[in-house]
Each structure stands twice: as C-alpha cells, then as structure tokens.
Amino acid sequence: MSKKKVVLAFSGGLDTSYCVKYLGEEKGYEIHTITVNTGGFDDNELKEIEARAKNLGVASHKTVDETKNYYDKVIRYLIYGNILKNNTYPLSVSAERMSQALAVAIYAKELKADAVAHGSTGAGNDQVRFDMILNILVPGIEIITPIRELKLSREEEIAFLKSKGVQMNFEKAMYSVNKGIWGTSVGGKETLKSLGMLPEEAWPTQVTKTGTETVKLTFEKGELKKINDKSFSHPADAIQHLQSIAGPYGIGRDIHVGDTIIGIKGRVGFEAAAPILVLKGHHALEKHVLTKWQLSWKDQLAQFYGNWLHEGQYLDPIMRDIEAFLTNSQQNVTGEVSIQLYPYRYQVLGIESAYDLMSAKFGKYGEMNLGWTGDDVKGFTKIFGNQTAIYHQVKEDAGK
C-alpha cells in the first residue's frame, strides 16, 4: 500500500523540522517539502534549507521564489496605503503568509497531494491564514498541523528532535524567526509577557554601522525605483538594497502588540529597516503631493485593507477594489525623499517633487499669501462657519 502524500510548508526552523520527523516516522506519510522564498533567504540559505530537508528524510524538496510576485500582489499596496498595523508594525509576516499559502496550495494541486501540513501553533494567526487559503483553493484537502494538534512547547519539540538524533542549533531555535523582504519577526520568551525586550543577540541583523549617512529615495507613481544614484528594474530589488544600507544601523526594530484573529493579545519583535524607511518616506512625499481628502480617504481604506490582509482575507474581492483605489491615488506620487540615518533612528529631511503642492507660487504658510486678499478670507470664514453658527443660534433661541 502506497504512503499518503503530504506537502509540508518548510522553513527549516524548529517547528517544520519537527513536522518532518513526526509525520514521516510517527505517522508514515511521504513528505514533500516546499520552501516559499519571500525575500528572506539568499542562495546559500536556500541550499542549506534544502539540505536540511533531505537530511531529515523527505521524499522531495522544492524551492519557489515568490519575492517579486509578493511585491506585485501585496507589498506595493501596503506602500501605497502607508500601512502600519497599530501604527507600528509593517505586516512583515502576515502579508508574506498570503504569498506562501497561495504557493503551497498550487503545489499541493500539482502533486495531487492527499494532505497539506504546516507548522503553525494553536495560539497565533498563521493557522487561520494557511487553513483559510487552503480551504478556499483546495477544498476538501486534509490539513495537518502537528504543533497545534499536539499543543507542543518549543522545549518539547527540541526534546523530540534530539531523541531522533537530529542535530541543529537548538539555542538559536529558542527564538522563532521569520525572514522576508518586508521585515523579519522575532519571537521568544521575552515576547510571551507584556514586559520585556529582546536581547541584542536575538536580533538577526546586528548593529555594525556608526556615524550617519543620507539616503535619497526616488519614487515614481508611488513605487521605489532608485536609491541615491542607483536605479533598479524592480522595486523588490530596491527594497533589498535599502535593507543592506539601513539594516546595520538597527533602524526599524520594535515590538508589535496586536490582536490575533482568534481574539487574544500577542507580542512579537520585528526588525524592518527598509520597510519603515520606504513607508515613512512615501508618506512624507504624499503629504506634499496629495490633497487633504485624498490623504483622508486613503487612510481609511488603507487601514481596512491592512486589517483584512492581517486576518487572512486576501482573496475577498473587496481587496481588489481597494487596490484599484490605492493605485489610482498614486498618479502624482513622484519625487525624491531624503532621509538621514543614524544608529537606531532616522530623520526624514524633506522631499523634492514637480507635483509639490507646497509651491511658493501660491503663498508661504504662516507668512504671506499670493492667491487671495484679507477680505476674501473674511467672507470665506463667515460662509464656512455659517451652518454651525445657525445651529448655536437656534439652540440658544429654543432654550429661552
């Protein structure tokens, strides 16, 4: 009797390494691992992950590079919307999980797999994101989640793997690290409580730069196309280059506190130098080139888009509608943004754009105007406050 075929989303970390050994040796599955690279791994790391999968005993391993597709389908709209969850977190993991889940679902169909497995726990968001995408795109397929089903702690996973003779850096495995082009999340014992910061050694990118430097980000219709004097054929390449410049300053480190899809609060550390600089630079440019109502409605739609994406609802058609609005809003978001970098911090210096609405031709804020007279302002002020004045007068008359 042939073994049941399972596709396992494999990162090479503790959880997915446990899944290989458990599903293969304890449950008798034929395991086919897939690693979906969303910009977090270089070629050497991908080779190491493939070697680890094969050493663990998988039947086959596949690597899929989704980095540019991930940008095209998701990240560009996070930038257009200046989206930071709870004004802090650039949706580093929640956004990339959509790309990964979609790629896993497609591969499971190609292989005609009996089941799909992933290493999500029962306390986080990823379990919902993966399960929902799989249920929609591969209806009826068996979904196996050993860490969730067995309610395992990281210590129990480590003990199991040691009993199977698996050798890996278990000290490093005490931290859950998810790397991607839009940031890296870091979870450990310090983030399980409401008080505590990750130690320096837990951050994947160490601070090695001192002093300061200025970077100039060039946007064309909302997309990052150039850094300083270097042009890029695709914004994903520009983001990765910016990360190599800003990451060693320790910029973009923080702790995100959020509400999980299943209703509990959670904390996670993250480092996201390039995403933070891109979002803040893009927003600075937008404040100069968009009207106040463009900015206002963008904020409202973008907040919904970010929240719905965070909760795994990428396939909801409303998301395509909002993407169309966000794309249209970027027609004049072209210009250069200068940002000063320092260890652990940054400063947006300003922008230059042909579409800058802060043009001296129309006046200087707080100093002088060129487009209207004092009498114009008197008349405008009276009319602009007319309905509110009527309200207060009627209220006063009614109370007499």
Side-chain angles (χ1 to χ4, degrees):
M1 184 178 174
S2 61
K3 292 182 176 180
K4 278 189 173 183
K5 194 183 296 183
V6 61
V7 167
L8 169 65
F10 186 76
S11 68
L14 178 64
D15 294 332
T16 53
S17 295
Y18 176 93
C19 289
V20 172
K21 281 298 183 186
Y22 175 77
L23 293 172
E25 298 187 13
E26 302 292 314
K27 294 297 181 181
Y29 281 94
E30 178 183 299
I31 302 167
H32 298 267
T33 46
I34 176 173
T35 298
V36 183
N37 183 23
T38 49
F41 303 115
D42 59 30
D43 289 341
N44 287 333
E45 288 171 315
L46 290 170
K47 287 175 183 174
E48 288 174 7
I49 290 170
E50 181 175 2
R52 191 173 306 155
K54 290 180 176 176
N55 287 337
L56 288 167
V58 303
S60 75
H61 179 81
K62 180 183 178 71
T63 299
V64 178
D65 191 344
E66 280 287 299
T67 307
K68 287 182 170 60
N69 193 39
Y70 171 34
Y71 172 87
D72 292 338
K73 296 291 181 65
V74 181
I75 293 174
R76 71 194 309 165
Y77 303 110
L78 300 180
I79 297 170
Y80 293 168
N82 309 309
I83 295 171
L84 288 171
K85 179 75 172 170
N86 288 0
N87 297 315
T88 303
Y89 177 53
L91 294 180
S92 304
V93 175
S94 42
E96 73 179 27
R97 286 295 182 258
M98 293 300 97
S99 288
Q100 292 167 342
L102 291 166
V104 169
I106 291 167
Y107 188 49
K109 281 183 176 180
E110 287 177 5
L111 275 185
K112 295 182 171 58
D114 301 292
V116 176
H118 56 88
S120 301
T121 70
N125 293 315
D126 288 344
Q127 57 179 330
V128 178
R129 296 173 185 137
F130 268 101
D131 286 9
M132 193 153 45
I133 293 292
L134 292 167
N135 285 331
I136 293 168
L137 295 184
V138 201
I141 197 166
E142 182 184 5
I143 300 172
I144 308 170
T145 53
I147 313 303
R148 174 174 65 185
E149 290 156 15
L150 299 173
K151 300 178 182 177
L152 296 170
S153 67
R154 296 185 73 78
E155 290 75 15
E156 288 172 316
E157 293 176 59
I158 290 170
F160 175 82
L161 287 173
K162 284 182 176 178
S163 75
K164 296 292 183 180
V166 175
Q167 294 183 341
M168 59 187 292
N169 187 343
F170 289 114
E171 188 173 325
K172 183 179 177 182
M174 294 307 292
Y175 289 94
S176 177
V177 178
N178 290 282
K179 293 177 67 178
I181 188 175
W182 208 234
T184 299
S185 71
V186 186
K189 60 182 183 296
E190 293 85 2
T191 59
L192 296 176
K193 300 176 293 184
S194 298
L195 177 64
M197 178 54 74
L198 292 162
E200 186 66 29
E201 62 271 15
W203 298 104
T205 305
Q206 295 293 291
V207 177
T208 55
K209 283 191 176 182
T210 58
T212 182
E213 65 182 289
T214 300
V215 293
K216 186 177 288 185
L217 310 184
T218 300
F219 292 90
E220 294 178 14
K221 294 189 174 182
E223 296 196 87
L224 182 63
K225 291 298 183 75
K226 190 175 176 183
I227 298 172
N228 297 328
D229 296 322
K230 187 176 176 65
S231 297
F232 297 87
S233 59
H234 195 280
D237 298 325
I239 292 167
Q240 289 177 312
H241 181 68
L242 180 59
Q243 182 65 34
S244 71
I245 295 172
Y249 279 108
I251 290 168
R253 290 180 176 183
D254 208 340
I255 296 275
H256 167 57
V257 181
D259 298 285
T260 64
I261 303 166
I262 55 176
I264 60 175
K265 296 279 187 183
R267 291 177 88 227
V268 67
F270 67 90
E271 58 174 39
I276 293 296
L277 294 178
V278 172
L279 289 168
K280 292 300 183 180
H282 176 267
H283 194 202
L285 180 59
E286 281 197 328
K287 286 187 282 188
H288 280 264
V289 303
L290 297 185
T291 67
K292 69 176 181 180
W293 290 116
Q294 283 180 297
L295 290 165
S296 176
W297 281 105
K298 272 186 76 265
D299 283 348
Q300 294 177 62
L301 286 173
Q303 183 179 33
F304 176 86
Y305 185 91
N307 286 336
W308 214 216
L309 179 69
H310 174 75
E311 300 198 351
Q313 292 283 4
Y314 175 76
L315 295 176
D316 188 326
I318 188 61
M319 301 294 274
R320 308 293 82 78
D321 299 333
I322 296 174
E323 287 166 0
F325 173 91
L326 292 173
T327 299
N328 195 66
S329 74
Q330 299 300 294
Q331 300 308 303
N332 293 345
V333 186
T334 294
E336 297 176 343
V337 184
S338 295
I339 306 177
Q340 192 84 19
L341 309 183
Y342 306 88
Y344 303 105
R345 65 187 179 92
Y346 65 92
Q347 179 68 56
V348 177
L349 301 178
I351 71 103
E352 290 181 291
S353 172
Y355 299 97
D356 190 356
L357 300 178
M358 192 179 154
S359 171
K361 288 190 295 185
F362 305 106
K364 294 181 180 178
Y365 178 69
E367 295 184 21
M368 58 184 288
N369 69 73
L370 301 174
W372 58 88
T373 67
D375 286 339
D376 290 338
V377 176
K378 284 182 181 179
F380 167 77
T381 305
K382 185 172 183 179
I383 294 169
F384 190 54
N386 191 38
Q387 188 170 72
T388 305
I390 293 170
Y391 168 85
H392 285 283
Q393 187 62 54
V394 168
K395 182 180 178 183
E396 184 178 329
D397 291 346
K400 289 179 180 176

